[in-house]
Amino acid sequence: MSDINRFFWRCAGVHQETLEKYPEEHSKYTAIGATIFFTGLFASLSGGYAMYFVFSGGAFDWLLALVFGIIWGLAIFNMDRYIVLSINKSKSGFMQLLQALPRILLAILIGLVISRPLELKIFDKEIRENLRVRFLADQRAKIDTLNSTFNKKYANEVALLKSITTERDSLESSIKNDRTKLNYEIFGNKTTETSGVMGYGPYAKMKEEELKKKEGYLDTLRNKITLQQNAIRQKQQFEGILDQKVLSNASLDSAVNVAGFADRNSALGNLRYDANGKVNESNANAVFFIALLFVFLECLPVIVKLLAGKDPYDNELQNQRTIHDYESDTNVTVQKEAIDRLKDTYVDVSINKRMKEL
C-alpha cells in the first residue's frame, strides 16, 4: 500500500488496520480522503487570499496571510473530516439522510464562504475595471457636491459674477453688430440703418464714438469679472474645492491596488449589472456556477458517503463498536457488583474507626 493512499486514508479518518482487511474498499476511501484534503487546500488558498487584502500594506502582510490561510484550511479540513465520520451507516437510508441534512447545510455554507475569495481572484481584471469606474464616479460626485454646496453658501457672489458675465456677453454682441454697421457706412453699403454713401462722414464718426464708449465700458466689465473671479477662487481655495481633482490613470491604478476586501467584494457583486442597471446574465451565471462548483466540491464527501452502500468496513466498525460498548457496559456491571460485595467490609472498617475516635 502506497504512502499516498495511507495519507488520504488519514484525511478520511478511517481505521487503517481495519480497512486493510478489505482491499475492495481502498479506492473509495482514498477518493473520499482526497476530496477532503483538496477542499481544505482550496479553503487555505481562499482564506489566505482574503486575508492578504485585510493586512495589505502592513508589515509582514504576506506572512500573516499565509499563517491565517493555513489555520483556516486546517479548520475546514477538520470540519469536513468530522462531517464524513459522523454519518452512521448502520441506520436506514432515510435516517442517514436526516442525520446528514445539517451536515449538508453546513457544507453548503462552507462552500459559499471559501468560494468568494477565489471568485475575487478569478474575476480580478473585471473587478479592477469596475473599481476604476466607481472611484472615478465617486470623485466626480464629490466635486459636484462641493461645488453645489459652495454655490449655495456664496450665492450672492456667484450670482453677481453670472450677471456681469451675461452683461459682458450681451455688450460684446452689440459691439460686434455696431462694428459691422460702421463698416457698412464707411464703405457705402446700403441698409435700413446706413446711408449708402461711401466715406467717413458725420454719421460714421458718431457711430465710432459710441463704439469707443461701449468698448471702454466693456473693458470695465472685464476687469470686474476678473476681480470677481479672483475673489471667488480665493473662497474656493479656502473651502478646499481647488484641491479636488479628477483622478488620473496613475491615481486610479494606485487606488485600485490598495482597495480592500470589502471594495472588491462589492465590485464583484456589481458585475451582475450593466451600466444601465440591467442584469448581466453572463456575469451573474459565471459567478453563480463558480460558487456552485465549490459548494458541490464541499458536499461531495458527504454525498459519496450517503450514496455508498453499507460495506464490509462499515460492518467491521459497527461490530467493533458493539463489542466496545458491551465491554464498557460489562465493566460497569462488574465494578458495581464488586462495590456491593465490599459494602459490609466498608461498614466494619468505618465502625472500628469511629470506636477508636471515642
Side-chain angles (χ1 to χ4, degrees):
M1 185 56 58
S2 67
D3 293 336
I4 295 178
N5 284 341
R6 292 183 181 279
F7 172 74
F8 287 138
W9 287 359
R10 292 191 184 95
C11 294
V14 300
H15 190 270
Q16 295 191 27
E17 294 181 359
T18 303
L19 183 60
E20 286 176 352
K21 299 178 184 178
Y22 309 101
E24 67 276 12
E25 304 299 333
H26 290 181
S27 297
K28 181 175 74 173
Y29 287 97
T30 299
I32 293 175
T35 304
I36 295 174
F37 171 76
F38 284 109
T39 302
L41 180 62
F42 283 131
S44 182
L45 294 174
S46 175
Y49 183 72
M51 286 300 103
Y52 177 76
F53 289 106
V54 174
F55 299 112
S56 181
F60 306 106
D61 49 0
W62 62 271
L63 181 60
L64 292 172
L66 178 64
V67 171
F68 180 87
I70 293 174
I71 294 174
W72 177 248
L74 290 174
I76 298 300
F77 170 80
N78 185 65
M79 181 65 69
D80 287 341
R81 194 166 181 262
Y82 168 74
I83 289 174
V84 173
L85 287 174
S86 62
I87 298 177
N88 189 352
K89 297 298 293 183
S90 64
K91 297 183 179 180
S92 64
F94 180 73
M95 291 303 298
Q96 289 182 39
L97 181 60
L98 289 180
Q99 184 186 33
L101 185 59
R103 294 161 176 80
I104 292 176
L105 294 177
L106 180 60
I108 292 174
L109 178 61
I110 294 174
L112 292 174
V113 170
I114 68 174
S115 68
R116 197 62 173 181
L118 294 178
E119 288 174 347
L120 294 178
K121 183 59 179 177
I122 293 171
F123 294 98
D124 181 67
K125 183 178 179 180
E126 292 79 6
I127 289 172
R128 293 176 68 88
E129 184 61 28
N130 185 276
L131 286 174
R132 285 173 61 90
V133 173
R134 197 183 82 187
F135 288 161
L136 186 59
D138 290 345
Q139 183 66 13
R140 286 174 175 170
K142 182 179 179 181
I143 293 174
D144 291 340
T145 301
L146 288 174
N147 286 328
S148 176
T149 303
F150 179 86
N151 290 336
K152 291 179 180 178
K153 184 175 181 179
Y154 299 98
N156 294 334
E157 289 83 351
V158 173
L160 179 59
L161 177 60
K162 185 177 181 180
S163 174
I164 299 174
T165 303
T166 302
E167 186 178 1
R168 180 204 60 187
D169 294 340
S170 177
L171 186 58
E172 286 178 345
S173 177
S174 176
I175 290 174
K176 183 178 180 180
N177 290 333
D178 289 346
R179 177 66 65 184
T180 301
K181 293 176 184 178
L182 177 60
N183 290 334
Y184 285 168
E185 180 66 28
I186 293 174
F187 293 103
N189 293 329
K190 178 64 176 177
T191 65
T192 56
E193 298 182 3
T194 59
S195 63
V197 179
M198 188 174 65
Y200 190 69
Y203 184 75
K205 292 180 180 180
M206 181 185 67
K207 283 291 184 182
E208 188 172 16
E209 289 296 329
E210 291 178 356
L211 275 175
K212 289 181 178 179
K213 290 180 181 179
K214 287 184 177 180
E215 288 173 348
Y217 184 58
L218 179 61
D219 291 337
T220 302
L221 289 178
R222 286 172 176 170
N223 291 332
K224 288 183 178 180
I225 290 173
T226 301
L227 292 174
Q228 189 66 12
Q229 286 176 339
N230 290 335
I232 290 177
R233 188 173 290 106
Q234 290 178 356
K235 291 181 172 60
Q236 288 176 331
Q237 182 69 41
F238 177 76
E239 297 290 343
I241 294 178
L242 298 181
D243 296 332
Q244 302 295 327
K245 298 179 181 179
V246 177
L247 296 175
S248 63
N249 288 332
S251 298
L252 283 173
D253 290 337
S254 178
V256 170
N257 290 334
V258 299
F261 183 82
D263 287 331
R264 290 178 176 270
N265 185 58
S266 176
L268 178 60
N270 292 335
L271 292 182
R272 298 174 180 268
Y273 304 97
D274 292 327
N276 56 9
K278 293 184 178 180
V279 176
N280 187 319
E281 294 185 0
S282 177
N283 289 342
N285 290 337
V287 173
F288 172 75
F289 282 113
I290 289 175
L292 190 64
L293 174 64
F294 283 98
V295 169
F296 175 74
L297 180 64
E298 181 66 30
C299 295
L300 191 59
V302 181
I303 295 174
V304 171
K305 188 70 173 179
L306 285 175
L307 293 179
K310 189 175 182 181
D311 53 48
Y313 171 74
D314 291 322
N315 288 330
E316 181 71 16
L317 286 184
Q318 183 61 33
N319 292 337
Q320 290 180 10
R321 290 192 185 98
T322 301
I323 292 172
H324 293 159
D325 289 343
Y326 181 76
E327 183 179 6
S328 176
D329 293 340
T330 302
N331 184 57
V332 172
T333 301
V334 170
Q335 293 296 329
K336 286 182 177 180
E337 185 173 345
I339 292 173
D340 289 339
R341 290 186 179 184
L342 292 172
K343 183 177 180 180
D344 294 337
T345 303
Y346 287 151
V347 172
D348 293 339
V349 171
S350 179
I351 292 173
N352 292 331
K353 184 179 179 180
R354 289 184 177 276
M355 288 290 294
K356 291 178 180 180
E357 291 176 356
L358 294 175

